[in-house]
Amino acid sequence: MTADMTADHATAEARDENERVSAAVRRPPRPFWLGLAGIAAVLGVHEAVSRLELLRPEFFPPVSVIAPALLELLPTAQLWEQILGTLQGWGVGLALAAVLAVPLGMLIGSFEAVRRMLRVIVEFMRPIPSVALFPAALLLLGITTGMKVSLVAFAAFWPILFQAIYGVQDVDPATKETARAYGLGPVARFWRIIVPSTSAYIATGLRISSAIALILTVTVELLTNLTGLGNAIGSARTAGQFPQMYALIALTGILGWLLNGTFERVEARLLHWHPSQREGT
């Protein structure tokens, strides 16, 4: 009897191992490798288009020319000064937008009267592109870092605001009623129910606004002589240094990718308890 049970157990283990191996064979490539394949394909197309002169190679140099230009720029102090200028405008503008948008969004989402009172103003201001305010900001603030930060903050403000509003409105009414039934006051309900439930929405708004803030930062730098990657891109274009120009554009994209990945990792770590994170694992 014992020998039979041992044999059955060994057979079951072998079957489980075979199933794991089969599952591993059937498992599709990881997203990381798929991402690398996509990047390689895009770079290959870029190289071919330039080498075949489908676009003028002097204005659209191949990757094999842009990559060395990027490697030449990386060790220079001037490049890192430009990166620091961009990160400064991006970070201060995004932080200012968050400080203003989060409490206002939670206030609007919590009170119907406030939402109705501010609805027209919000709907009027939201569609205005930040770049359209550039002339006014230039007249009021001049070509200063404050002007750049103000435009970045305006653009980054709206996604955070609306995510905060939706987060508050999405709180389960039954949960709030249960907390009220257990004697929790308004302040306790706010910190124990509304804030945790809204945090995932706010994190998403911050991640979206991060990309928008970077776009506006580089755009303002392109239009002015303020220190940053946008200014460096414009200077390279004016000087006819097109490999350096495309290298700086690629570096801007890499910076945006790194910032987005950082936000995703911080969000996953801080909100590991939230259902939205558990569903993604």
Side-chain angles (χ1 to χ4, degrees):
M1 180 69 68
T2 303
D4 292 340
M5 293 178 62
T6 303
D8 292 341
H9 181 68
T11 302
E13 286 185 343
R15 184 172 59 252
D16 293 340
E17 181 64 24
N18 290 334
E19 291 177 354
R20 284 194 293 269
V21 172
S22 299
V25 172
R26 293 192 305 267
R27 187 180 299 127
R30 293 183 178 182
F32 175 77
W33 297 110
L34 289 175
L36 285 181
I39 294 173
V42 171
L43 295 179
V45 171
H46 184 136
E47 183 78 15
V49 167
S50 181
R51 292 294 181 185
L52 295 174
E53 298 187 2
L54 299 178
L55 294 174
R56 296 176 63 180
E58 62 270 25
F59 297 142
F60 193 73
V63 176
S64 56
V65 174
I66 295 173
L70 178 58
L71 293 177
E72 289 180 6
L73 288 172
L74 285 177
T76 61
Q78 184 179 4
L79 173 65
W80 290 101
E81 181 182 355
Q82 303 285 5
I83 294 175
L84 184 61
T86 295
L87 287 176
Q88 181 184 16
W90 166 85
V92 176
L94 183 62
L96 181 60
V99 168
L100 296 175
V102 171
L104 181 59
M106 299 185 80
L107 177 66
I108 295 174
S110 299
F111 300 99
E112 180 67 19
V114 177
R115 186 181 68 82
R116 292 186 177 183
M117 181 175 63
L118 298 178
R119 179 178 178 181
V120 175
I121 298 175
V122 170
E123 292 298 332
F124 172 77
M125 295 293 293
R126 180 179 63 163
I128 299 177
S130 296
V131 178
L133 298 176
F134 178 78
L138 196 61
L139 289 173
L140 294 173
L141 302 174
I143 302 178
T144 61
T145 302
M147 183 269 293
K148 177 168 69 172
V149 168
S150 64
L151 289 175
V152 172
F154 180 85
F157 175 84
W158 302 107
I160 303 173
L161 176 74
F162 281 93
Q163 286 297 115
I165 294 173
Y166 296 149
V168 173
Q169 293 179 338
D170 199 46
V171 176
D172 187 3
T175 303
K176 292 190 287 188
E177 291 299 326
T178 302
R180 187 180 289 109
Y182 275 96
L184 292 179
V187 176
R189 292 198 301 270
F190 176 80
W191 287 110
R192 295 187 180 184
I193 296 175
I194 294 179
V195 170
S197 299
T198 311
S199 56
Y201 288 85
I202 295 175
T204 300
L206 284 169
R207 185 154 39 84
I208 296 171
S209 292
S210 171
I212 295 174
L214 183 62
I215 293 170
L216 258 295
T217 303
V218 175
T219 300
V220 173
E221 292 164 355
L222 272 169
L223 298 174
T224 64
N225 60 355
L226 293 172
T227 301
L229 287 171
N231 184 30
I233 292 170
S235 298
R237 178 189 60 81
T238 303
Q241 299 173 334
F242 298 111
Q244 288 80 0
M245 182 189 75
Y246 284 103
L248 290 166
I249 292 173
L251 185 60
T252 304
I254 293 171
L255 180 61
W257 173 69
L258 291 174
L259 291 174
N260 184 73
T262 301
F263 269 94
E264 287 182 343
R265 286 172 174 79
V266 172
E267 180 181 348
R269 182 176 293 274
L270 295 180
L271 300 179
H272 60 88
W273 49 269
H274 197 273
S276 64
Q277 296 298 325
R278 293 200 298 269
E279 290 172 0
T281 59

